[in-house]
């Protein structure tokens, strides 16, 4: 489906207040209750804020596909997808508390300022009760902060930085996707078995919050194995040409290149690294290796044969065989003619989880919804048993370690599952130093009243 198909739908105007900075969203009152954008008609509107342009646009388009599918399932259209396997049975496929779900969309452009402006417009002009989406942690942190200020729930999409539920955690924000620490914890044992404990790593790192925390996490995990970190070079998001960053690697004394890149940047940097001969090189008496800590199916397809044998991690993959995954893959495939990416999966799940929490709480009040999500345990959504931890609003579940397939049969199975790392191996304390330590706090929920 082209991006033009994802126009504003079922618009619910709210009479936004204008002014400098973040204008106060419309506040509706209902008896003793008062909260931002309380829906008063027969429709409730969600805001889907995703990258429709920029280096992560492919991920954003797949998120929109999944978000639209979630709205259909909530409203009783289609086959119901994961509503049939979800352990909670609060949603009946007849909308949310007597209201049909609608949505509006915005383009984050993979830029924090643009994402914040888009979210602000949806809150003030379109009366959204929740914002979901994004494929950049810089965007997620910015939009999560705005939602906290406005009294709106933020159901994060694809955001992998430790900071989202670490030092920048917010009471109004929730993340289903895994994080950089979890990637390091899952990957390290696999890398040890594959490449040993005597390795020298060179990092190329996207220069924003996700890249910083991903690099810190994978460096910590690999150095605990005995690996040495030779260098860490920051690269701009959307650089396109990474040749000037790759050229020094072969003469650095490193024998592993770790690409802390995502989306189009990962496709470009990996492709160029292979073109420069790194996959065929030897260093320190060993075959030179490349690691991509965070994978997506869309990135792997874009990188083609360059991905073969390269390890990474994922939040979810369509090749899992549990009933929830099978239900979602069937629904998504029948609608769009392709399997969903893990970015699509997390946005679909987050949309259903929000609707379920509203129903269980019996209210659209964001603080009632937050309370329903905190400490919520569920299953049937494709990752096995999951906990939405109350202390930091981070989901805890198994993590997948992936490898580029040697003999893919289609453009969609370019990655294979190497290991399903148990949640116990990737769990950490809420005050872990990588997540803000003892200074990190959710603060108080804001309902906008």
């Amino acid at each position: 489906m082209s991006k033009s198909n994802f126009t504003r739908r079922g618009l619910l105007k709210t009479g936004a207040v204008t002014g400098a900075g973040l204008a106060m969203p419309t506040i509706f009152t209902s008896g003793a209750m008062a909260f931002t954008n309380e829906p008063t008609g027969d429709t409730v509107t969600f805001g889907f804020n995703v990258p429709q342009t920029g280096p992560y646009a492919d991920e954003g388009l797949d998120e929109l596909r999944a978000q639209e599918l979630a709205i259909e399932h909530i409203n009783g259209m289609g086959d119901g997808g994961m509503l049939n396997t979800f352990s909670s049975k609060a949603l009946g496929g007849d909308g949310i508390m007597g209201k049909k779900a609608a949505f509006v969309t915005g383009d984050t452009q993979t830029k924090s300022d643009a994402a914040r402006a888009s979210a602000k417009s949806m809150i003030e002009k379109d009366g959204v009760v929740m914002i979901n989406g994004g494929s950049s942690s810089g965007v997620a942190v910015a939009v999560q902060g705005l939602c906290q200020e406005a009294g709106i729930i933020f159901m994060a999409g694809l955001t992998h930085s430790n900071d989202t539920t670490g030092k920048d955690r917010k009471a109004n924000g929730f993340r289903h996707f895994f994080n950089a620490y979890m990637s390091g914890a899952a990957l390290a044992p696999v890398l040890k078995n594959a490449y040993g404990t005597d390795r020298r790593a060179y990092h190329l790192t996207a220069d924003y919050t996700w890249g910083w925390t991903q690099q810190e996490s994978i460096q910590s995990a690999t150095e605990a194995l005995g690996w040495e970190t030779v260098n860490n070079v920051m690269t701009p998001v959307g650089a396109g040409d990474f040749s000037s960053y790759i050229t020094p690697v072969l003469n650095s004394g490193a024998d592993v290149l770790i690409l802390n890149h995502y989306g189009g940047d990962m496709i470009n940097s990996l492709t160029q690294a292979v073109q420069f001969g790194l996959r065929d090189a030897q260093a320190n008496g060993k075959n030179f290796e490349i690691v991509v800590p965070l994978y997506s199916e869309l990135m792997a397809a874009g990188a083609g044969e360059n991905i073969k044998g390269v390890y990474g991690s994922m939040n979810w993959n369509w090749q899992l065989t549990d009933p929830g995954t099978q239900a979602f893959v069937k629904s998504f495939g029948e609608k769009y003619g392709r399997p969903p990416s893990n970015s699509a999966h997390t946005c679909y799940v987050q949309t259903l989880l929000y609707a379920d929490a509203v129903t269980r709480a019996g209210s659209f009040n964001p603080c009632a919804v937050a309370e329903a999500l905190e400490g919520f345990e569920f299953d049937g959504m494709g990752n096995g048993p999951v906990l939405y931890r109350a202390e930091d609003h981070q989901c805890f579940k198994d993590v997948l370690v992936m490898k580029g397939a040697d003999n893919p049969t289609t453009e969609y199975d370019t990655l294979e599952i190497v290991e399903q790392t148990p949640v116990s191996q990737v769990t950490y304390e809420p005050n872990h130093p990588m997540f803000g330590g003892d200074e990190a706090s959710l603060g108080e929920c804001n309902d906008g009243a």
Side-chain angles (χ1 to χ4, degrees):
M1 182 172 289
S2 67
K3 292 174 190 174
S4 62
N5 292 112
F6 292 101
T7 53
R8 292 174 180 258
R9 302 163 188 252
L11 212 60
L12 178 63
K13 295 294 185 182
T14 60
V17 181
T18 59
L22 176 64
M24 179 61 70
T26 302
I27 306 296
F28 293 96
T29 59
S30 177
M33 302 291 286
F35 58 90
T36 304
N37 292 344
E38 179 182 359
T40 56
D42 58 3
T43 304
V44 59
T45 306
F46 297 168
F48 295 146
N49 205 25
V50 303
Q52 299 181 57
T53 57
Y56 297 173
D58 286 346
E59 304 287 340
L61 176 57
D62 222 38
E63 290 176 342
L64 280 175
R65 294 184 181 114
Q67 289 160 333
E68 181 177 37
L69 185 62
I71 293 293
E72 291 181 1
H73 290 167
I74 289 169
N75 287 335
M77 300 167 62
D79 62 10
M82 282 185 171
L83 288 184
N84 298 314
T85 60
F86 187 17
S87 56
S88 173
K89 302 303 178 186
L91 292 171
D94 54 355
I96 311 170
M97 291 180 59
K99 302 179 187 296
K100 290 295 184 182
F103 68 93
V104 294
T105 72
D107 182 8
T108 70
Q109 304 174 40
T110 320
K111 298 176 181 178
S112 297
D113 288 347
R116 190 174 168 98
S118 176
K120 181 174 181 287
S121 176
M122 287 191 283
I123 293 170
E124 296 180 1
K125 296 180 180 179
D126 301 323
V128 301
V129 296
M130 176 273 279
I131 289 180
N132 165 248
S135 291
S136 158
S137 290
V139 162
V141 168
V143 174
Q144 180 170 255
L146 179 137
C147 289
Q148 180 68 41
E149 296 167 17
I152 291 291
I153 289 292
F154 176 60
M155 300 296 283
L158 195 160
T159 169
H160 192 243
S161 171
N162 293 338
D163 292 346
T164 308
T165 48
K167 71 179 184 63
D168 294 311
R169 69 186 71 163
K170 294 290 186 290
N172 284 48
F174 292 83
R175 172 164 60 178
H176 172 263
F177 207 70
F178 73 145
N179 58 48
Y181 175 93
M182 294 173 175
S183 286
L187 274 171
V190 175
L191 296 178
K192 177 182 177 181
N193 291 337
Y195 304 139
T197 58
D198 182 21
R199 283 286 183 167
R200 307 188 76 220
Y202 192 111
H203 293 250
L204 293 181
T205 300
D207 192 10
Y208 73 106
T209 177
W210 169 69
W212 305 333
T213 66
Q214 177 59 83
Q215 194 280 329
E216 178 188 26
S217 297
I218 198 73
Q219 176 175 332
S220 175
T222 53
E223 287 184 351
L225 302 177
W227 289 26
E228 178 184 347
T229 303
V230 173
N231 202 357
N232 176 37
V233 177
M234 297 295 176
T235 62
V237 176
D241 184 3
F242 291 90
S243 56
S244 63
Y245 297 100
I246 294 168
T247 302
V249 176
L250 276 173
N251 298 317
S252 67
D255 46 50
V256 177
L257 173 62
I258 299 179
L259 293 174
N260 302 298
H261 289 159
Y262 195 74
D265 285 348
M266 191 288 291
I267 294 172
N268 291 330
S269 62
L270 176 61
T271 300
Q272 290 162 20
V274 173
Q275 290 172 345
F276 274 62
L278 265 67
R279 293 298 301 276
D280 300 321
Q282 286 204 327
N284 306 321
K286 306 176 181 69
N287 292 333
F288 201 100
E289 305 291 351
I290 300 176
V291 177
V292 176
L294 179 60
Y295 259 138
S296 84
E297 300 89 343
L298 301 172
M299 289 160 47
E305 291 193 355
N306 300 317
I307 212 76
K308 289 185 176 181
V310 176
Y311 287 101
S313 67
M314 290 182 73
N315 181 69
W316 173 88
N317 181 268
W318 69 272
Q319 298 171 91
L320 289 168
T321 58
D322 62 277
T325 292
Q326 291 179 333
F328 179 49
V329 171
K330 177 179 180 291
S331 293
F332 193 96
E334 289 178 350
K335 185 173 178 64
Y336 301 112
R338 58 187 295 161
S341 65
N342 77 153
S343 56
H345 170 259
T346 203
C347 284
Y348 175 88
V349 169
Q350 284 281 72
T351 304
L352 295 190
L353 287 172
Y354 172 82
D356 174 79
V358 168
T359 306
R360 289 187 292 110
S363 173
F364 287 99
N365 186 301
C367 295
V369 174
E371 186 175 351
L373 285 168
E374 290 178 342
F376 181 47
E377 297 182 44
F378 59 92
D379 203 345
M381 304 289 263
N383 291 105
V386 182
L387 167 68
Y388 237 132
R389 190 162 70 178
E391 291 86 349
D392 53 7
H393 296 182
Q394 172 66 55
C395 271
F396 285 85
K397 54 193 180 298
D398 295 349
V399 170
L400 301 181
V401 176
M402 311 295 292
K403 184 175 72 170
D406 290 326
N407 298 297
T409 58
T410 72
E411 62 181 299
Y412 306 116
D413 64 352
T414 52
L415 295 173
E416 61 184 43
I417 300 171
V418 174
E419 179 178 283
Q420 189 163 346
T421 306
V423 63
S424 59
Q425 186 175 314
V426 300
T427 299
Y428 53 87
E429 293 299 318
N431 64 344
H432 188 285
M434 287 188 187
F435 293 83
D438 292 333
E439 302 301 314
S441 171
L442 286 168
E444 296 295 324
C445 178
N446 177 24
D447 63 7

